[in-house]
Structure formats: C-alpha cells, structure tokens
Amino acid sequence: MVKNISTQLMGQFFFQIVKKELTLPCRKKIRTEYERILANAKDIGKHNTLLSAYALGAWFIAMNRENDLSPEENCILLTESLRNSRIFRIVMGDANHYLSPKRIKRQKKWADSTKTRQYENDWVVDLIPGNGVYDLGYDYLECGICKLCRDEGCPEFAQYLCKLDYMFAEVMGLHLERTSTLAEGGDKCDFRFSRMKGGITCQSQIHNSKKK
C-alpha cells in the first residue's frame, strides 16, 4: 500500500495541472482510480527517492482508463501540463542542483541501498560518475514503474512514461542521452546527463516518436 499524505498531495497536484484539458468529472474519475491503484500497489517505502515517479505512473495508468485519449495523447498532455507548471519547475530545480557533489553523494548512497531489494517494486540502480563525455549517469536495472504497470495489467504503458524523462532533463537545463529502456525490452535504462548545450529537446523527442 503506497497511499499516504505524500501521494495524496501529488494526486491533487496532477488533478490541478490537467484542469484546462480535462473536464471536472473526468478528472474526478481519474483521481479515484489513481487512489485505488496506489492503495493496492506494492509498497516502495514512504521516503523513497522515486515515490513521485511511482505516483506519476499510477496517475498515467488512471488517465488511460478514464478518458478517451490514446496513450500517446495522454503522454503529450501530461508532458505539456508538467512543463507549463511553475510549481513543477521549482521542485525540479536546475542543473547546478542536480549535479552538485553533495546531491550526487546522496544519490550514490541511495543507489547502493537499492541493491538490498528491500521492497519488491522498488528500482535497482547503479550510479555512474561523470567521465568528461557526460556529467552523471544512471543504469536502472529494475524499474518501479514497469513493475507497477505489470501489476496493473498494462505493461505497455511504461514506455510512454519513459518519454517524460527527456522533459524532466530539459526543465533542469540538462541533456539526456539514452540508448535503451527496460520498458522497451532492454536489459537496462542507461541515463547519461550533461549540461544543456543546445541539444535535442523533449518536444522533438515526442514529435519524432509520434511519427514512428
């Protein structure tokens, strides 16, 4: 059971950011389904670094069950709603924060702790130090969102949530390179972050995916 005050607040935030695109009755149905999913979801720890990602996964599943949009359309709707949220941008911070030595030290400790597999649906992660080609890397060996989507009988939804990672990076002023994801059958998700230098953006990633 993952439903707690944090996920309730996240649900309220998601509820508000899509209010211009979805009717109130639709949003209410989505929130009800979101709460049901999290109430039934396997616990990952209330202080988990990626609890917000787990909650976002539950919201995306609920969106696809309670409105008439396709998964691709829901992905774009959610991406643009988050991108345009001032609160979201403040919470995400910038590249200096994300790449600060103090934060990386905390992240290394967190990544090492995932190897204990204390929670069945948690992520399992290796932190990869920067090497001059990129500033910070992560190899995700197991993914909580993939596990949540699997448990909910919709493993195909996870690949759409992977697309949001490009927007998350862009908002922070980072460029993300990734060659494989677990959601698309890879053996890992290989995130490599660099400070933004005018590279491709999340918007182009979304439109390119839509054309395929």
Side-chain angles (χ1 to χ4, degrees):
M1 176 176 174
V2 181
K3 185 177 177 182
N4 56 37
I5 186 63
S6 295
T7 57
Q8 288 176 334
L9 289 173
M10 291 173 201
Q12 183 59 29
F13 169 68
F14 300 144
F15 183 86
Q16 290 297 324
I17 64 168
V18 297
K19 66 182 179 181
K20 292 182 180 179
E21 289 79 16
L22 300 175
T23 65
L24 180 59
C26 181
R27 284 186 291 140
K28 285 183 175 180
K29 289 195 297 182
I30 292 171
R31 185 166 62 181
T32 297
E33 179 64 5
Y34 163 82
E35 291 174 351
R36 185 203 66 77
I37 292 169
L38 287 181
N40 293 331
K42 294 170 183 172
D43 197 6
I44 61 170
K46 65 180 180 180
H47 300 301
N48 191 294
T49 297
L50 291 174
L51 179 60
S52 59
Y54 206 56
L56 185 62
W59 184 267
F60 185 73
I61 294 171
M63 284 180 70
N64 281 281
R65 288 176 174 166
E66 300 297 343
N67 70 33
D68 295 328
L69 300 177
S70 69
E72 183 72 29
E73 290 169 330
N74 275 318
C75 177
I76 293 173
L77 187 160
L78 191 53
T79 299
E80 294 308 310
S81 297
L82 287 168
R83 187 204 299 277
N84 294 327
S85 167
R86 181 172 174 271
I87 293 175
F88 174 73
R89 287 179 171 273
I90 291 172
V91 170
M92 291 297 291
D94 60 15
N96 289 334
H97 168 70
Y98 193 80
L99 298 174
S100 69
K102 185 176 181 179
R103 183 183 182 280
I104 291 175
K105 183 178 180 180
R106 290 199 309 269
Q107 289 297 99
K108 178 65 166 62
K109 184 177 180 180
W110 162 72
D112 290 344
S113 74
T114 66
K115 307 300 194 309
T116 66
R117 291 175 167 81
Q118 179 180 359
Y119 297 99
E120 182 181 350
N121 267 25
D122 200 358
W123 284 254
V124 177
V125 187
D126 284 332
L127 184 146
I128 314 297
N131 62 2
V133 177
Y134 52 83
D135 294 303
L136 181 64
Y138 292 95
D139 283 345
Y140 283 74
L141 309 177
E142 296 181 19
C143 171
I145 287 178
C146 287
K147 294 173 184 178
L148 179 64
C149 290
R150 175 204 63 202
D151 292 347
E152 284 293 316
C154 51
E156 69 279 7
F157 287 167
Q159 63 184 303
Y160 295 99
L161 287 155
C162 294
K163 297 181 182 182
L164 272 70
D165 294 324
Y166 291 96
M167 180 270 292
F168 296 157
E170 181 187 328
V171 164
M172 293 185 288
L174 294 166
H175 175 69
L176 169 62
E177 290 282 349
R178 190 173 59 196
T179 65
S180 68
T181 65
L182 294 165
E184 295 177 304
D187 60 352
K188 63 184 177 181
C189 305
D190 57 339
F191 290 74
R192 300 295 184 266
F193 293 101
S194 305
R195 293 179 185 275
M196 183 72 79
K197 298 176 183 177
I200 58 175
T201 66
C202 176
Q203 192 68 23
S204 64
Q205 286 283 336
I206 289 175
H207 287 309
N208 287 341
S209 296
K210 194 172 182 180
K211 291 176 183 178
K212 291 180 180 180

